[in-house]
Amino acid sequence: MTTLLAWLTSLDEQRIATTLRARPDVRFDLVRDPLTELADLLVDPDSLRRLIARLPLPHLQVMECLVAMGSGATLTELTSLLLSSGPMHEERVREVVGHLTTCGVVWPPSEGRLQVAEGAERLFPRPLGLGPRVADLLDLLPIAELRRLAGAHGLADLPRTRPELEIAVEEVLTNREWLRGQFASAPAIVFDALTLVARPRNDGGRDEQNDDEYDEYDEYDAYDYDPYVRRQRVPHRREVFAQSGAAFGWAKARGMVISSRYGYEWHMPAEVELVLRGPGYHPAFAPLRPVPTVRTLEVEHVHAAATAAASDFAQQTVAVLDILARSPWPLVQSGGVGVRDMGRLAKAAVVEPGAARLALELAAFAGLLVTSQRRVTVSDTFDAWREQGGPDRYAQLLVAWWELPFSPTNATRASGTTIRALERFAHCQPADRARQALIGAMSRLPPNNACDLTLLLATVQWDRPRVPVLDQEGIDPWNTAWAEAESLGVIACGALTAVGRALPQGNPATLAPVARGLLPTTSERAAFGSDLTVVLVGSPSARLSLLLDSCADRESSGAAITWRLTPDSVRRAFDAGTNRATLTGHLLSIATTELPQPLCYLLADVERRHGELRLSGHGTLLRGDDPARVAEAAADRSLHRLGLKVLAPTILTSRLSVEETLEALRKAGYLPTTEAGPAELAALSPIPSRAS
């Protein structure tokens, strides 16, 4: 038997370099490191696990069969065992074996019998649904039982040591011809019972109605969750042998059933099961990659849909983060943004809660957010990110989505409990692998060719059958990844967009030039309407966004953003310390034309009325310059709960706190201020900024 090291030694440097290119999971320097280290790295369980996560379905099917047959199977035996794939079946099997040989997990010794990396057995603990191997089961037997089996098999010169006994018995029990002869001479009742025990269970799935029955079985009958092997309910081995004690005795006497050291468990060796399945048993082999049905779309159609989605996502994300830049947002004690706080944030940014959640998760992963003292705010890198152009900001967020280890839009666990935004920043989920496998399969389609997800899944699962995308959080990772890709402009109308094809490189510098074809340039100007609205088409600059958010209320976000100026929104700017002249000058600097007359009237009216009532914290006193306006407030029935009392023609007192009185007066249509207001109001500038 040729070892992996001996086989590597027989290769030239070019062949070894080819193997290293096929195994990016192995870090090896051919010049410095010896081949002994390479042999260890190639069969390392972690490296093999990373390898098979990238292998397509036929490679895993061949590896599973080789592990089941054990080292020493020939290429002819492997070809005969696998289900025929057509006239070129042998060539296809040889091609798959050749690729596995290049990867260093299978190698052909001089005898022509294929050897499999020992670490592969850990990745296929129950290959083809078979039980433990003979070599593993013989370790369970006492030496007296080994001697009995050796004698039963006619070994005249019994070995003396335990290793010699195990090798001798193993040679008999792994001899396929000897096993076939034994079964041919066995009584019919024995053969039928043994055949039922060895029956393959790779059809159908677990019977949910029989969960209790499965729970009482030992690990040999545990349900196999492997993505491409499912089992159906069959009679348990104890049930079969309880009905046929003769079959159990016949098989145990010959070592075809091996009990544990204390007899509590027994198993049929994998080699015995495989022979019992007979020549008609052929595990599945699917060398042909499924080709999904596609439809060709117009380039302009795909580009328009991608532009709309990318613009909406980019603007909504900026709107959410601009709010956090002005004011930190609260976090719950156990971590994450609470549901109500998330709703308030989405309402303030005029976006859907799902869009706000997506913005927070991607910004946090991109390093744009920090949390401290149960609050979340923007990080030191936010200002530089905000000053960049829209395509550069969009590219960084796309890379964050590509590498994010969980689904950012999933808000519910399988148990029904809520997952708060920013709650699981470091919690790894399989969504990233599903996302990458999906985009990888889409990238193989011709440009502007659309495909439905249901048709694409067969191809995706052929490409990466070992991608761990089980439903661990109560969601379907494939549909979730598809929906997120559509909202980001990666997939449009069922086709992969230009940014989607550049996304697997995971480089913002590569994505930004492609994104420039989707996103409009940053705008410093906005259109003011006579209905007190402000409309901007494109991406607002940081200065424009901060200015309008300080004195107007957002009404829409997306490719076109709308603000509306109201008495309350202008009063908010005046509370921050600005005045009519300053605010008018700032608005003129961003307006495409002169300010409309209704807006000028609004600014003048708010300035006239601003501070008509001034609140003091000394017993919540209200002062005013106009006795008539003070008397009107005292008689206002909507302010009854304040319990206003007249102390002087221009002085009132309220029984509620300053904050409650201030809120009630504003709801009633007044524009009050505070004489010794909160420090944060006095510190705000006319144009809110991070520096202030």
Side-chain angles (χ1 to χ4, degrees):
M1 181 180 294
T2 304
T3 63
L4 176 59
L5 178 59
W7 177 69
L8 289 174
T9 306
S10 65
L11 302 179
D12 55 23
E13 291 189 4
Q14 185 177 0
R15 287 284 304 278
I16 295 178
T18 303
T19 296
L20 292 176
R21 284 194 297 270
R23 293 289 298 273
D25 53 282
V26 173
R27 298 291 181 264
F28 179 79
D29 190 335
L30 185 58
V31 178
R32 287 183 315 180
D33 301 331
L35 288 180
T36 53
E37 184 174 347
L38 176 59
D40 293 337
L41 291 174
L42 289 175
V43 298
D44 179 74
D46 291 335
S47 294
L48 289 176
R49 191 174 295 107
R50 289 191 293 269
L51 171 66
I52 68 169
R54 298 184 291 104
L55 291 178
L57 179 60
H59 291 66
L60 297 186
Q61 291 171 332
V62 168
M63 280 189 67
E64 186 178 20
C65 285
L66 288 174
V67 172
M69 299 173 73
S71 295
T74 64
L75 182 61
T76 302
E77 292 173 338
L78 174 65
T79 304
S80 301
L81 177 63
L82 290 168
L83 183 66
S84 177
S85 59
M88 300 180 63
H89 177 64
E90 185 176 352
E91 289 79 2
R92 290 164 179 162
V93 175
R94 185 180 293 108
E95 180 181 356
V96 173
V97 172
H99 185 264
L100 293 176
T101 303
T102 302
C103 293
V105 293
V106 174
W107 61 94
S110 56
E111 301 87 9
R113 295 187 174 273
L114 300 172
Q115 304 296 317
V116 187
E118 183 178 353
E121 296 179 357
R122 301 183 183 181
L123 304 176
F124 299 93
R126 300 181 55 76
L128 304 182
L130 299 173
R133 306 187 63 80
V134 169
D136 298 329
L137 292 175
L138 292 180
D139 292 338
L140 304 175
L141 298 180
I143 192 168
E145 180 65 13
L146 285 174
R147 291 184 180 277
R148 186 194 68 78
L149 286 177
H153 293 319
L155 301 176
D157 299 329
L158 293 178
R160 296 184 178 182
T161 64
R162 181 182 182 92
E164 292 175 337
L165 277 172
E166 290 183 357
I167 292 174
V169 175
E170 182 182 355
E171 288 180 355
V172 175
L173 292 178
T174 56
N175 188 322
R176 297 184 181 90
E177 295 301 326
W178 181 84
L179 289 172
R180 293 190 185 98
Q182 292 292 311
F183 295 141
S185 61
I189 188 174
V190 171
F191 181 77
D192 292 342
L194 294 178
T195 302
L196 183 58
V197 169
R199 177 174 139 189
R201 278 167 276 177
N202 58 352
D203 232 351
R206 179 172 181 173
D207 187 352
E208 299 296 339
Q209 298 179 354
N210 295 324
D211 279 351
D212 294 338
E213 300 179 41
Y214 271 87
D215 290 340
E216 66 183 22
Y217 293 171
D218 56 34
E219 64 178 0
Y220 185 55
D221 289 282
Y223 177 64
D224 193 348
Y225 284 100
D226 194 276
Y228 60 96
V229 175
R230 295 291 184 265
R231 300 187 188 178
Q232 65 179 357
R233 175 71 168 91
V234 298
H236 190 268
R237 287 157 175 73
R238 288 196 288 268
E239 298 174 9
V240 174
F241 283 124
Q243 300 172 6
S244 178
F248 180 79
W250 185 93
K252 186 175 181 180
R254 291 161 175 78
M256 298 175 187
V257 169
I258 297 178
S259 302
S260 63
R261 187 178 298 273
Y262 300 102
Y264 295 124
E265 296 179 358
W266 58 266
H267 306 281
M268 179 177 286
E271 294 85 348
V272 176
E273 278 193 271
L274 195 58
V275 172
L276 272 171
R277 293 181 182 181
Y281 170 67
H282 298 288
F285 180 59
L288 300 180
R289 184 175 184 268
V291 179
T293 304
V294 298
R295 59 187 185 278
T296 305
L297 302 177
E298 295 292 336
V299 178
E300 295 79 7
H301 187 51
V302 176
H303 180 77
T307 299
S311 299
D312 287 347
F313 163 72
Q315 298 308 325
Q316 290 170 359
T317 301
V318 168
V320 171
L321 298 184
D322 279 346
I323 293 175
L324 298 184
R326 293 193 298 272
S327 175
W329 215 253
L331 301 173
V332 299
Q333 186 172 2
S334 57
V337 181
V339 177
R340 291 185 178 179
D341 291 327
M342 178 59 69
R344 291 195 304 110
L345 179 61
K347 183 178 180 180
V350 197
V351 300
E352 294 294 328
R357 182 189 186 91
L358 180 63
L360 288 181
E361 298 286 13
L362 297 188
F365 193 77
L368 302 177
L369 298 180
V370 292
T371 58
S372 62
Q373 300 179 351
R374 292 177 55 184
R375 288 184 176 274
V376 58
T377 186
V378 296
S379 66
D380 295 336
T381 62
F382 173 79
D383 288 335
W385 176 84
R386 187 65 176 84
E387 292 298 332
Q388 291 179 343
D392 296 290
R393 298 195 301 259
Y394 173 68
Q396 292 186 37
L397 295 174
L398 274 188
V399 172
W401 176 74
W402 179 251
E403 298 176 351
L404 195 67
F406 56 83
S407 173
T409 58
N410 177 34
T412 307
R413 296 186 178 89
S415 60
T417 57
T418 300
I419 305 174
R420 293 183 292 273
L422 305 182
E423 179 184 5
R424 52 179 184 180
F425 176 68
H427 184 54
C428 183
Q429 291 294 318
D432 58 334
R433 297 187 180 96
R435 179 187 310 135
Q436 293 167 10
L438 186 65
I439 301 302
M442 291 286 291
S443 64
R444 296 191 181 187
L445 299 178
N448 303 310
N449 274 244
C451 177
D452 294 332
L453 176 60
T454 54
L455 300 176
L456 187 66
L457 277 184
T459 303
V460 172
Q461 293 169 352
W462 188 95
D463 289 338
R464 298 290 184 267
R466 275 295 181 102
V467 171
V469 289
L470 298 179
D471 187 5
Q472 297 184 1
E473 290 287 3
I475 63 169
D476 179 2
W478 300 114
N479 283 286
T480 303
W482 183 278
E484 291 174 359
E486 287 184 323
S487 65
L488 294 171
V490 175
I491 294 176
C493 305
L496 194 64
T497 64
V499 292
R501 294 189 178 276
L503 186 58
Q505 301 179 28
N507 187 355
T510 305
L511 277 172
V514 183
R516 291 189 183 99
L518 293 179
L519 297 179
T521 58
T522 301
S523 177
E524 293 281 353
R525 299 284 179 174
F528 287 78
S530 58
D531 58 349
L532 301 180
T533 59
V534 186
V535 180
L536 180 141
V537 178
S539 175
S541 65
R543 177 180 178 277
L544 185 146
S545 178
L546 288 171
L547 171 61
L548 292 178
D549 283 339
S550 70
C551 63
D553 297 325
R554 286 199 186 217
E555 289 193 336
S556 68
S557 295
I561 309 176
T562 304
W563 287 266
R564 182 177 296 277
L565 290 103
T566 64
D568 281 340
S569 67
V570 176
R571 183 266 312 156
R572 186 171 67 237
F574 281 20
D575 285 344
T578 189
N579 53 48
R580 179 168 66 96
T582 303
L583 183 58
T584 301
H586 287 310
L587 294 178
L588 279 172
S589 68
I590 66 170
T592 56
T593 59
E594 292 293 328
L595 296 182
Q597 194 175 47
L599 176 57
C600 297
Y601 288 161
L602 173 64
L603 297 178
D605 183 60
V606 172
E607 183 185 45
R608 177 180 59 81
R609 297 179 54 201
H610 187 255
E612 58 189 359
L613 294 175
R614 299 180 299 279
L615 279 68
S616 172
H618 304 289
T620 314
L621 295 178
L622 289 80
R623 306 174 188 270
D625 296 329
D626 185 358
R629 192 63 170 166
V630 173
E632 179 185 349
D636 195 331
R637 302 182 65 177
S638 64
L639 300 176
H640 175 72
R641 68 186 188 93
L642 298 181
L644 297 177
K645 293 183 179 180
V646 179
L647 300 182
T650 58
I651 300 177
L652 299 175
T653 181
S654 170
R655 66 186 178 191
L656 299 184
S657 65
V658 172
E659 292 78 10
E660 294 173 313
T661 303
L662 193 67
E663 181 181 1
L665 288 171
R666 286 173 178 172
K667 286 184 177 180
Y670 297 88
L671 299 180
T673 60
T674 57
E675 290 185 337
E680 59 270 18
L681 292 179
L684 290 177
S685 63
I687 303 177
S689 65
R690 293 257 297 132
S692 63

